[in-house]
Amino acid sequence: MTPSLIRRGLLATASALALSGLMAPIAQAQTKVPLRISTPAVPDDWHAKMWTVFKDALDKSAPGEFDVQINLNASLFKQGTEPAAMARGNLELSSISAFDIAKLVPEFSIFTAGYVIQDPQQQQKVFNGPIGQELFKTVSEKMDVTVLSTVYLGTRQVNLRETRNVRTPADLKGVKLRMPGSKEWLFLGEALGATATPLAFGEVYLGLKSGTIDGQDNPLPSVRSAKFYEVTKQIVLTNHLVDGIFLSIANKTWNALTPAQKQKVQAAATAAAQYNNENRIKEEGQIIDFFKQQGLQVTTPDQAAFRSHVQQVYLNSEYAKVWPKGLIERINAVK
């Protein structure tokens, strides 16, 4: 081989090596697992901030392995459409409500009923224990998503336009209580003893101000953020629904991960839920003083009377017919 041919060969080899070196980062970037997140949460909500905790945890535990894309304000998918998008493979992660799960897993409707979960601590014990494992297995089979963690959404309370002595459900008779428009929510309002009145969330403030409705129910942070305290005079601490959402990943995505990646994603989801839960519970504990400062009466009814009445209404309804036998007793027994 002539010297010129040798030189040409060496140059070609060097060029190839240099090109492969340049291409390596590109190839590595292309192998990142995309994790698109869709949530209706607004930036200041703990449910929005928790996704940053999720992303930061993965960036730390698995640098360069995942491309986490957080989409807030329902900017990627409309609220309620996320489960279908995940099943189709168009979305990797979201937080799904119990009401959305119940549409495809009817037995899950037990968690949309009043006075089933008693407090945030029991909520975590129920869903992190055998009951949660059983139901999440069914969710995976029927919805093609895997639940990674249970996120505390808040405890719903009754907020009234005018003060009244509320001790038992009978004391809410005739009260036009705004509820979200679905039949499940309206049933809950009626079970509380009120006259359930459907109204869009964006119309609640004006409805309270004008007297179209007599009250509304929401977790206390929502009452503050929506400024309902400006047009109401009382908060009744009914604690009638300890609500949750479920941080979930599409099975298509989950099943494609390595065992090590699954462990890291699970740990990030657990950290995100814990961040939300701790901050939301802390906020709820402090917020009552704020309402008192605004001049609202904050009263506590006979919660045992409410619990007994509401559970009985549900047990006598069509909803309870799809609940697994003995499940309500198992949940009640979790302390």
Side-chain angles (χ1 to χ4, degrees), residues 37-149:
I37 296 163
S38 180
T39 174
V42 297
D44 287 340
D45 196 312
W46 298 118
H47 300 137
K49 294 175 182 178
M50 76 173 181
W51 286 114
T52 300
V53 173
F54 175 85
K55 181 181 187 304
D56 290 347
L58 272 186
D59 287 345
K60 185 177 180 180
S61 67
E65 289 186 50
F66 297 96
D67 178 19
V68 181
Q69 305 164 26
I70 303 171
N71 300 275
L72 306 178
N73 298 307
S75 59
L76 189 60
F77 287 96
K78 184 179 176 183
Q79 185 175 11
T81 66
E82 302 97 341
M86 293 167 77
R88 289 194 307 266
N90 296 334
L91 179 67
E92 285 75 46
L93 283 147
S94 188
S95 46
I96 306 175
S97 74
F99 287 86
D100 284 336
I101 294 176
K103 292 174 185 175
L104 294 172
V105 186
E107 53 266 48
F108 213 87
S109 67
I110 195 168
F111 298 111
T112 69
Y115 295 103
V116 171
I117 298 295
Q118 297 174 23
D119 53 45
Q121 291 73 32
Q122 192 208 28
Q123 179 192 64
Q124 295 300 308
K125 290 178 182 178
V126 167
F127 288 112
N128 292 333
I131 294 172
Q133 291 175 1
E134 294 165 19
L135 289 170
F136 291 155
K137 184 174 184 291
T138 305
V139 169
S140 177
E141 293 167 353
K142 291 188 176 182
M143 297 182 67
D144 224 13
V145 302
T146 293
V147 175
L148 298 174
S149 60

Side-chain angles (χ1 to χ4, degrees), residues 36 51 63 84-85 89 146 148 168 233 240 248 253 264 271 277 285 311:
R36 292 166 295 179
W51 286 114
T146 293
L148 298 174
T168 70
K233 294 181 180 177
H240 57 271
S248 306
T253 304
K264 291 170 185 176
N277 298 352
Q311 280 204 358

Side-chain angles (χ1 to χ4, degrees), residues 269-283:
T270 300
Q274 184 175 351
Y275 169 85
N276 167 87
N277 298 352
E278 289 177 355
N279 282 287
R280 188 160 291 273
I281 291 167
K282 182 180 178 181
E283 182 181 11

